[in-house]
Amino acid sequence: MLIKRPARIKPSEITDEALYRDRRRFLELSSKSLLALGAAAVVGCDSNEAVAVSQAPPASAGALRSLGALKSSAFSTSEPSNSFDDISSYNNFYEFGTRKTDPANNSGSLRTDPWSIEIEGAVEKPGRIALEDLMKPHALEERIYRLRCVEAWSMVVPWVGIPLGDVLKRFKPTSNAKYVEFTTLYDPEQMPGQDIPVLDWPYVEGLRIDEAVHPLTILGVGLYGKVLPNQCGAPIRLVVPWKYGFKSIKSIVKIRLLEREPKTSWNVAGPREYGFYANVNPDVDHPRWSQNRERRIGSLLKQKTLPFNGYADDVASLYRGMDLRKFF
Ligand SMILES: Nc1nc2c(c(=O)[nH]1)N[C@H]1C(S)=C(S)[C@@H](COP(=O)(O)O)O[C@H]1N2
Ligand SMILES: [Mo]
């Protein structure tokens, strides 16, 4: 029997749901009903603003501010980019719900201006800095990167961003700065998914300092030459293209330099399944599925997953001598 599906559900999502019965999928099912309850409660207490917000249409490329001149980069791939529509309608951003379409539908409630970031820990010049001031000294670059999610799908995204290393330098990290911790905004009023305990909020991620200052690592502020849509992590997110997507934390409000490896959200939620390093590695399977192949969003056939997501020439040396099965 053929059942008519809503037109907005893409075949790619259906494949996803048939293929993966993972923790994330389980969470999606269990939180879906909770989120629905949350929405009902909002209607019940007659908060028009919250209702209006959850009905805000997803941003189209045309509605977003252009970012002006961009430097191109030798790091960009020549593979074809996914469409703006793919990149902005198939997202993981659990602060807005766990279905792939939730972030586009629910993130209209996020206020990204004004925005500031706190830099703290092992730096000579700690403090809070407005996003404009953080960005001002840096030339915006276009970086067309592959993004490989731990769930075995991938995309090619034409990011706009600035090298994280250049930013960190301005705050003068001390010799104790061995790791960098990043934190997403915590505000359940703007991020309704944070009322649901799928992760220990706020979302936290981290990198070793040499990974953080590697020239491939950027802070992303746009895509397709426009400011980031909220669902993609506006106004500023991390992009680390050789690691699984969950390392690329969205909507960052705090950066802390540390002597010790930080506790990171997915690693805490499932330490056997999501490592701190999370380097893309076709030879180390997720306990419940293979990481050997991936589905590029928009294409029918699966393709081989490459070590370090195809960036091995640039980054493999960072891990010389490490057992990547142990430090997965
Ligand atoms: N704060 C926050 N950052 C996040 C996530 C999230 O749920 N919350 N999801 C991660 C995961 S699992 C992936 S694959 C990427 C997805 O980025 P995209 O939606 O822009 O493709 O964002 C990462 N950053
Ligand atoms: Mo992911």
Side-chain angles (χ1 to χ4, degrees):
M1 189 172 66
L2 254 176
I3 297 172
K4 197 161 176 261
R5 296 190 217 96
R8 300 221 312 169
I9 299 181
K10 294 178 189 160
S12 53
E13 290 189 61
I14 293 156
T15 320
D16 238 7
E17 297 185 359
L19 283 178
Y20 305 119
R21 303 169 99 241
D22 57 20
R23 173 189 160 84
R24 288 160 173 244
R25 176 73 186 134
F26 169 76
L27 290 172
E28 178 175 319
L29 287 169
S30 52
S31 64
K32 208 184 284 181
S33 42
L34 283 167
L35 202 60
L37 278 177
V42 165
V43 175
C45 66
D46 202 17
S47 165
N48 292 323
E49 193 187 310
V51 172
V53 149
S54 68
Q55 291 167 347
S60 68
L64 296 166
R65 190 163 57 80
S66 291
L67 284 167
L70 305 175
K71 239 167 80 175
S72 62
S73 166
F75 287 125
S76 287
T77 174
S78 55
E79 288 166 79
S81 293
N82 280 87
S83 67
F84 180 89
D85 199 47
D86 282 345
I87 298 166
S88 62
S89 63
Y90 187 90
N91 299 99
N92 275 335
F93 199 171
Y94 279 15
E95 284 85 342
F96 296 103
T98 53
R99 289 170 296 187
K100 293 290 181 280
T101 48
D102 284 339
N105 290 328
N106 300 334
S107 63
S109 49
L110 178 64
R111 294 185 300 273
T112 57
D113 186 18
W115 192 274
S116 61
I117 297 191
E118 244 180 295
I119 317 270
E120 48 178 68
V123 285
E124 282 174 31
K125 300 175 138 191
R128 179 181 288 279
I129 184 165
L131 182 63
E132 313 79 87
D133 298 329
L134 186 86
M135 300 305 300
K136 208 178 285 166
H138 306 279
L140 292 178
E141 299 182 30
E142 178 167 72
R143 298 282 185 111
I144 308 171
Y145 284 164
R146 292 175 290 276
L147 173 93
R148 170 53 157 89
C149 177
V150 73
E151 297 163 337
W153 55 265
S154 65
M155 292 196 198
V156 175
V157 185
W159 301 109
V160 178
I162 57 179
L164 174 63
D166 292 349
V167 173
L168 291 179
K169 233 182 265 169
R170 291 162 55 200
F171 299 88
K172 300 203 182 302
T174 70
S175 57
N176 289 334
K178 309 263 169 61
Y179 293 89
V180 189
E181 177 197 73
F182 306 84
T183 307
T184 294
L185 176 70
Y186 178 72
D187 183 351
E189 280 190 19
Q190 296 185 62
M191 296 181 147
Q194 290 177 332
D195 283 331
I196 300 157
V198 286
L199 288 171
D200 196 4
W201 308 112
Y203 197 103
V204 174
E205 257 310 333
L207 296 172
R208 220 170 52 188
I209 190 77
D210 57 338
E211 300 174 323
V213 304
H214 189 282
L216 274 171
T217 305
I218 59 168
L219 287 170
V221 294
L223 57 89
Y224 272 110
K226 310 269 186 156
V227 297
L228 280 180
N230 287 357
Q231 60 268 33
C232 296
I236 187 162
R237 67 172 291 165
L238 189 64
V239 180
V240 198
W242 71 94
K243 291 177 180 281
Y244 291 121
F246 67 86
K247 298 299 286 184
S248 292
I249 182 173
K250 296 177 169 182
S251 305
I252 296 167
V253 293
K254 189 161 74 179
I255 298 178
R256 194 154 66 116
L257 288 99
L258 297 170
E259 180 136 37
R260 299 272 180 99
E261 186 181 293
K263 290 203 178 330
T264 54
S265 293
W266 276 105
N267 184 238
V268 166
R272 286 183 50 258
E273 308 197 340
Y274 309 103
F276 174 79
Y277 282 92
N279 293 316
V280 174
N281 190 344
D283 298 330
V284 176
D285 288 338
H286 187 281
R288 283 173 291 113
W289 62 86
S290 165
Q291 292 294 26
N292 201 25
R293 299 170 76 73
E294 67 196 52
R295 188 173 50 82
R296 181 66 52 84
I297 299 302
S299 77
L300 290 171
L301 296 175
K302 289 203 166 193
Q303 61 191 70
K304 267 181 119 46
T305 288
L306 299 173
F308 300 104
N309 201 23
Y311 298 96
D313 286 351
D314 298 305
V315 300
S317 62
L318 299 179
Y319 309 100
R320 202 169 285 143
M322 278 175 75
D323 179 352
L324 296 179
R325 294 186 171 276
K326 185 167 173 223
F327 298 99
F328 61 89

